[in-house]
Amino acid sequence: MSQRWDQVEERLDDYESQLDSVYRLYHIPVLAALMLFMLWIRVRHYGRMIGEGGEPLYRGNDPYYHRRTTDYVIQNYPFNMPYEVWSGFDTGTQVGQFGTIFDQIVATVALVVGLGSPSQSTVTLVTVLTPPVIAVLCVPPMYYVGKRLGGRLGGIIGVLVLALTPGQFLSRSVAGVYDHHIAEVLATLLVLSIGMTMLTVAQREKPIYEFVETRELGLLKEPVAWGAALGVALTLTMLVWPPAVFLLGIYAIFLFFHLSVEFVRGHSPDHVVIPSVVAALVAAVLLLPFLTAFSLETTELSLLQPLLAVLVAGGALFMAAVARLWENRDLPRNAYPIGVAGIGAIAAAVLAVVAPDTFGFLLRQVERVAGLGSTDTAATVGEAQALDNPVQFFFTSYGLAFYTAMIGVLVVAVRAVFAQRPRAEQLLVATFTALMVIFTMTQLRFDYYLAIGVAAGNAYLVGQVFSFIDLDDVRADVTKVEPYQVLIVVAILFVVAGPLVATAAPMRASDSATNPGEYEDWQGSLEWLSEETPDVGEYGGSGPRDLAYYGSYGPTDDFEYTDGEYGVMAWWDYGHYITYGGERIPVANPFQQHADQAADFLLAGNETEANDILAEDSGEGEGTRYVMVDYQLGYAGTTKYNAPTAFETRHGLNTSDLGLSVASPRALQRGQYVPLWGIHTQRAYESMRVRLYQFHGSAREPASFVSRFRRGPGGIPVPPEDGAPIQQFDSPEQAREAAQSDPTAIHGGLLGQPGERVGALEHYRLVHASEQARPSPLYSNLRVQDPPVESEVKTFERVEGATIEGTGPANTEVEASVTMEIPTTDQTFTYRQFARTDDQGNFEMTVPYSTTGYDEYGTEAGYTNVSVRANSSYRFLALADNGSRIFVGGADVTEGQVLGENDTVTQVELQEQTTSDNETAGDETTNDATNGTATSGNETSSDAGGGTNATATATPQQQRGVRAS
């Protein structure tokens, strides 16, 4: 009997031992499962982000510059690019927050995977998968932070929140978002992990200044060591992303609150000040060798980073010194925070007077991250926009977990006020989280930092809840689990994770985020640019200069480009595409360098002004030779159409000067803004971007209709009540009069039809149009019958232009026209230009399109292998004596004349037609004259909302320029 009982006891001991092992190790398989889930959800669609031949299809524009700098490191290992001459024509640019340790690490991995010589496909695969891998690497430090706040279960809850959030942390870490954002999160978690440990050690060891005086350095060893480790972590974070200097600001704010509470509660600030000073000074010293600018800059490693670190160290020492002075003079401890704040305010006022530029710079940086609003230029950058509806945003990103985290932060704050000695590590995380809420409301990008705070806040709150549950008995005997304990666990999991799991939010967010960006629309045009335009340094037949694509160039304020080197003008969003995919030099780039110049050019109201803007960057080189415009910049009603108004410096234009978007009234009733179509103003049609993209440089005649709308909720334009967006008239004059008497009508404005004639361009020609073309969601709502297809991206060349001189009837308008073919879309368009003869019947014009001689001037000769070519000679037409006499002529223009290589002037003499020819010519003239009409119908468009009518018909001539996507 005794032996049998011994066996039972042995089995019970084994069971308890196994249960104890499960209790001690359960977090390991749980964390492993969460890490696998995080990896799977981020990589399952990675194939979408890799094109043919291993070409990357990253989402966003910055990843292409990271790829550029990563390739540079591979070619020049282990060095980063010192100065970029393949962007920011004609000065070059300091890349700042790109080409950092992030790119060096990824390049190293690619070299290892590629056995020292990685192929493009290998580098692409490594870069595409880098963000998901870094996201998974965030789990260990996140668990550590959560565990310190709420025990092991708190650590698991923190990781669970991080794994399930569908917000910026997820969207910035899926495959193909090759950017430094997710690396910032990992580096910040390291800073918090080490910082929390350092603060705990400091409060435990209680180092004071007297240890230095008495040389009891052994008592300082551990706090100082952890302080140095924090300095290294801070340095690493700023080497990943220089603007992470804001972490020093956050730490300074934490120090003010914590040291104030410490002193008020009777504790010495020395305990935390000593390791904090070490951390700040170590960071300052380690950053010095990496400085690239010796001024105050946020986007690159400059004097700002080490200077702010020194200021944090000085501020901490100042607070410790004031505390000693306060104590020696027996001043009331409760007044200490007010005294310190007052002295700080005085110091700020002195700085504002003595160094107003420096004070203004620092104030602007604070406003940028905590101003709860966006400037006009910042609003054009998606990640820098302020939140329109913070409540909805936070719930969408975190569900109820955001609010439970805020409760946790509030509990920490309350305890800090009333506890005898609050834990510094908890106050650090609470300060970080509270400030991240403000930062995120100011700039969307900070949401991926906020994810850390939300996870940590929930970890702390869970730890507090479980402190009221006695789990020791459960550990010994699982049968002792009480129902209330189970309910509490289930309730916590439901509150924290329930809404996100129930809506499958992470899955949906990952599906939408793992998709190629607009680079895919530009890819064909960029390939053409790299292959069919002369190499940089060879334009115009100049001798080749080795402006090496992966060359190393010393920093300079103004790089000297020489003969044959040229720039490409495009909106700044697309600069990195041109550098990476086109291997050409953009004028403007996503650093927002020369963004004002790009805006001024695109909005220029005449060709002379546009030429002057491009001439500003000519230097000794060829200047800007190509212009690339996409649909979003060329048509009203798109998301980017109004962006240039935030940057332009010459015209004083606002968004209403360029057009308006007609929105869906049904969507407005739901609180949503859904544009249906855009209406252009006359000033918009006169801008270079529209004249290029919609008209291809051709003249355009005024419309005989008005575009109609009405004012809906909030004054937002919506379709007219009868649903007819176009009202037709017999002549442009009648349409003009109708628009002048009706504030809800604009003369022309749709279908590429202006209110007044728009003249032809003389020095810009379409040389390529991309194959990518989709029906426009804006213009499809107009129900245009058989709308033509427009290319997503169009490339133009600035040329000298060919001179045509001719004779015809005196004091008569002459029309020159030539039909051009676009092989990528199998379409044609007609370039038209008008001139008027003088009293002797002479006229002169300059045209940008050639009709012959293309093969003589290809890339080998230093010129463009143009894709868009004429299928006829120039035709000339003049109608005299009220149209009763018709004069016609024809002539060819060579490619050499257009390029300025042949200064021969084309001569043409218009001949009067015979009676039989007049009938034929008259029919053609009638056809040309009738092109430019539009009629409204009675078909109802459900998209217009409320039974509105949005039907229009137009001839092919009218529809020319309407983009289909």
Side-chain angles (χ1 to χ4, degrees):
M1 184 68 181
S2 175
Q3 183 178 1
R4 184 174 298 177
W5 178 249
D6 290 340
Q7 291 176 350
V8 171
E9 285 187 332
E10 183 178 350
R11 290 179 181 178
L12 287 174
D13 290 340
D14 290 342
Y15 173 77
E16 290 176 359
S17 176
Q18 293 173 5
L19 187 62
D20 185 66
S21 297
V22 170
Y23 185 82
R24 286 187 295 105
L25 302 176
Y26 77 92
H27 62 288
I28 295 178
V30 173
L31 291 176
L34 288 173
M35 293 173 74
L36 287 174
F37 170 77
M38 291 176 65
L39 183 63
W40 171 75
I41 202 173
R42 286 164 170 78
V43 304
R44 60 200 184 106
H45 298 309
Y46 82 94
R48 298 176 181 174
M49 316 307 290
I50 302 176
E52 296 182 4
E55 185 77 8
L57 297 176
Y58 306 126
R59 184 165 62 88
N61 46 39
D62 286 348
Y64 288 92
Y65 200 77
H66 273 298
R67 175 59 183 271
R68 157 88 170 137
T69 53
T70 301
D71 288 343
Y72 179 92
V73 175
I74 292 173
Q75 297 292 327
N76 300 272
Y77 194 81
F79 301 104
N80 267 321
M81 186 182 300
Y83 194 76
E84 173 64 285
V85 302
W86 283 80
S87 189
F89 189 84
D90 74 325
T91 60
T93 184
Q94 178 64 52
V95 297
Q97 57 188 304
F98 295 84
T100 65
I101 193 173
F102 170 76
D103 306 273
Q104 288 176 308
I105 292 173
V106 177
T108 302
V109 173
L111 284 167
V112 171
V113 174
L115 302 178
S117 182
S119 64
Q120 173 177 273
S121 298
T122 298
V123 179
T124 296
L125 182 63
V126 169
T127 55
V128 163
L129 296 180
T130 289
V133 171
I134 294 179
V136 173
L137 292 177
C138 289
V139 168
M142 185 70 253
Y143 172 74
Y144 180 79
V145 169
K147 181 182 178 182
R148 294 194 65 89
L149 295 171
R152 284 190 300 158
L153 187 57
I156 290 175
I157 291 296
V159 173
L160 181 65
V161 171
L162 206 64
L164 293 179
T165 173
Q168 294 291 305
F169 178 78
L170 174 62
S171 64
R172 305 283 177 162
S173 60
V174 295
V177 185
Y178 181 49
D179 211 334
H180 49 66
H181 300 140
I182 191 62
E184 298 169 40
V185 178
L186 177 58
T188 301
L189 277 167
L190 293 176
V191 168
L192 287 176
S193 300
I194 296 173
M196 293 171 72
T197 304
M198 181 200 77
L199 293 172
T200 300
V201 170
Q203 287 190 307
R204 184 187 70 223
E205 299 296 323
K206 299 181 176 61
I208 55 176
Y209 175 71
E210 283 72 17
F211 292 167
V212 178
E213 291 182 332
T214 59
R215 299 187 180 279
E216 297 178 87
L217 302 182
L219 300 176
L220 298 173
K221 183 178 179 180
E222 191 173 1
V224 168
W226 280 107
L230 178 59
V232 172
L234 286 167
T235 301
L236 177 64
T237 305
M238 285 178 273
L239 290 179
V240 169
W241 189 55
V245 66
F246 77 85
L247 290 174
L248 287 170
I250 291 177
Y251 193 75
I253 294 172
F254 155 75
L255 282 178
F256 171 75
F257 286 113
H258 176 71
L259 297 181
S260 297
V261 172
E262 284 275 89
F263 185 72
V264 169
R265 291 288 180 266
H267 304 287
S268 172
D270 287 9
H271 305 160
V272 169
V273 166
I274 289 176
S276 296
V277 168
V278 171
L281 293 180
V282 166
V285 171
L286 292 179
L287 286 168
L288 289 177
F290 299 97
L291 298 189
T292 58
F294 294 93
S295 58
L296 298 180
E297 304 288 343
T298 55
T299 56
E300 58 184 298
L301 287 171
S302 66
L303 289 177
L304 175 65
Q305 285 80 8
L307 178 61
L308 190 55
V310 171
L311 288 176
V312 170
L317 289 172
F318 168 76
M319 289 192 70
V322 171
R324 287 174 176 265
L325 180 66
W326 216 269
E327 194 170 24
N328 291 337
R329 296 194 176 185
D330 200 24
L331 297 174
R333 286 181 176 265
N334 289 337
Y336 171 75
I338 299 174
V340 171
I343 297 173
I346 294 173
V350 171
L351 179 64
V353 174
V354 175
D357 292 341
T358 301
F359 179 81
F361 170 82
L362 296 175
L363 184 61
R364 286 193 300 274
Q365 304 318 307
V366 174
E367 290 176 344
R368 284 180 59 188
V369 299
L372 298 178
S374 298
T375 63
D376 290 341
T377 54
T380 65
V381 183
E383 65 186 41
Q385 293 177 354
L387 300 184
D388 292 331
N389 189 335
V391 174
Q392 180 181 1
F393 174 84
F394 290 136
F395 182 77
T396 301
S397 297
Y398 302 103
L400 297 175
F402 174 79
Y403 303 101
T404 52
M406 294 306 101
I407 293 173
V409 170
L410 182 61
V411 172
V412 171
V414 171
R415 287 193 169 186
V417 173
F418 295 103
Q420 181 57 36
R421 190 176 196 192
R423 289 173 58 185
E425 62 175 0
Q426 295 177 356
L427 187 58
L428 173 65
V429 175
T431 303
F432 173 85
T433 304
L435 289 174
M436 280 304 115
V437 173
I438 298 174
F439 289 8
T440 303
M441 293 171 65
T442 304
Q443 287 194 27
L444 172 65
R445 62 166 293 123
F446 286 102
D447 180 49
Y448 50 79
Y449 283 97
L450 178 60
I452 299 174
V454 172
N458 279 283
Y460 173 78
L461 187 63
V462 167
Q464 294 302 304
V465 171
F466 270 75
S467 66
F468 296 102
I469 303 175
D470 185 5
L471 295 180
D472 290 338
D473 290 340
V474 176
R475 176 179 177 180
D477 188 351
V478 73
T479 61
K480 294 183 178 180
V481 175
E482 299 291 338
Y484 81 92
Q485 294 173 324
V486 175
L487 289 176
I488 290 177
V489 172
V490 172
I492 289 175
L493 291 175
F494 175 79
V495 170
V496 171
L500 299 179
V501 173
T503 59
M507 302 288 289
R508 291 185 291 106
S510 131
D511 289 343
S512 62
T514 316
N515 277 304
E518 59 195 354
Y519 180 87
E520 196 171 25
D521 297 328
W522 279 71
Q523 195 171 14
S525 293
L526 296 171
E527 290 175 357
W528 181 90
L529 187 69
S530 67
E531 296 171 359
E532 307 299 342
T533 63
D535 290 338
V536 174
E538 298 184 9
Y539 191 94
S542 300
R545 178 194 176 190
D546 187 19
L547 191 72
Y549 187 64
Y550 294 114
S552 298
Y553 303 91
T556 176
D557 293 332
D558 190 0
F559 184 80
E560 294 295 330
Y561 294 92
T562 61
D563 290 346
E565 296 169 352
Y566 58 90
V568 179
M569 174 63 77
W571 185 231
W572 63 261
D573 283 12
Y574 310 123
H576 294 339
Y577 299 165
I578 294 169
T579 298
Y580 175 78
E583 295 191 5
R584 296 297 181 263
I585 310 174
V587 175
N589 50 46
F591 307 133
Q592 294 191 353
Q593 182 187 22
H594 300 158
D596 53 348
Q597 188 175 336
D600 289 342
F601 174 84
L602 294 171
L603 297 178
N606 60 76
E607 188 173 11
T608 300
E609 179 187 13
N611 290 335
D612 290 343
I613 293 170
L614 295 191
E616 293 176 358
D617 59 29
S618 58
E620 296 182 3
E622 297 296 332
T624 298
R625 281 295 173 182
Y626 298 93
V627 178
M628 303 182 78
V629 186
D630 74 331
Y631 162 70
Q632 295 192 76
L633 269 297
Y635 269 98
T638 63
T639 55
K640 293 186 180 181
Y641 180 76
N642 291 324
T645 60
F647 293 87
E648 64 95 4
T649 63
R650 291 170 172 254
H651 315 103
L653 297 173
N654 56 45
T655 57
S656 62
D657 295 323
L658 301 177
L660 54 85
S661 295
V662 178
S664 166
R666 288 181 177 174
L668 290 176
Q669 291 174 359
R670 298 191 300 268
Q672 299 174 328
Y673 180 80
V674 179
L676 297 176
W677 60 79
I679 301 178
H680 305 74
T681 62
Q682 180 64 25
R683 178 61 179 83
Y685 278 129
E686 292 171 352
S687 67
M688 284 295 292
R689 60 174 178 176
V690 175
R691 294 171 74 179
L692 290 171
Y693 187 85
Q694 293 193 34
F695 304 158
H696 305 151
S698 176
R700 191 59 63 100
E701 292 294 270
S704 297
F705 63 84
V706 297
S707 301
R708 303 172 63 241
F709 63 94
R710 62 185 172 89
R711 296 291 178 179
I716 297 175
V718 296
E721 292 184 352
D722 62 4
I726 289 176
Q727 182 178 0
Q728 185 68 42
F729 293 89
D730 294 333
S731 67
E733 292 73 22
Q734 291 181 5
R736 187 176 302 112
E737 292 177 2
Q740 289 174 348
S741 61
D742 186 352
T744 60
I746 293 177
H747 184 195
L750 290 171
L751 306 173
Q753 299 290 293
E756 304 288 342
R757 174 188 281 182
V758 175
L761 299 177
E762 299 179 342
H763 302 286
Y764 297 86
R765 63 174 180 175
L766 179 68
V767 290
H768 179 263
S770 65
E771 296 181 11
Q772 286 81 5
R774 298 164 296 183
S776 166
L778 299 175
Y779 277 78
S780 63
N781 292 326
L782 282 172
R783 306 295 289 274
V784 174
Q785 296 179 359
D786 300 323
V789 173
E790 282 275 8
S791 298
E792 188 74 27
V793 182
K794 298 181 181 180
T795 305
F796 301 84
E797 182 181 18
R798 179 173 66 88
V799 293
E800 298 300 315
T803 300
I804 299 175
E805 294 179 351
T807 59
N811 300 315
T812 304
E813 186 174 71
V814 176
E815 176 189 19
S817 63
V818 62
T819 302
M820 308 297 298
E821 293 184 340
I822 306 177
T824 51
T825 59
D826 293 326
Q827 290 180 310
T828 63
F829 70 91
T830 301
Y831 170 82
R832 286 183 170 83
Q833 188 176 153
F834 296 91
R836 192 166 186 84
T837 60
D838 58 19
D839 293 339
Q840 286 73 43
N842 299 318
F843 71 90
E844 180 180 315
M845 62 174 62
T846 301
V847 297
Y849 289 98
S850 59
T851 59
T852 62
Y854 299 108
D855 295 338
E856 299 178 26
Y857 293 93
T859 54
E860 293 183 359
Y863 291 103
T864 310
N865 184 20
V866 296
S867 170
V868 179
R869 302 187 176 189
N871 66 4
S872 67
S873 302
Y874 274 91
R875 294 175 295 176
F876 298 84
L877 173 67
L879 303 180
D881 299 335
N882 295 323
S884 62
R885 300 172 63 195
I886 300 175
F887 293 78
V888 298
D892 280 310
V893 173
T894 68
E895 183 76 352
Q897 289 175 283
V898 167
L899 294 172
E901 290 293 323
N902 183 344
D903 57 5
T904 302
V905 176
T906 296
Q907 301 288 336
V908 61
E909 182 178 355
L910 275 63
Q911 302 289 334
E912 185 173 3
Q913 296 296 291
T914 62
T915 302
S916 60
D917 290 335
N918 284 352
E919 293 177 356
T920 303
D923 291 340
E924 293 177 357
T925 303
T926 301
N927 289 336
D928 285 340
T930 56
N931 284 339
T933 61
T935 59
S936 59
N938 297 316
E939 215 170 325
T940 299
S941 169
S942 60
D943 289 337
T948 57
N949 183 312
T951 305
T953 61
T955 65
Q957 170 72 11
Q958 297 166 320
Q959 296 170 5
R960 184 184 299 119
V962 179
R963 179 262 194 184
S965 94

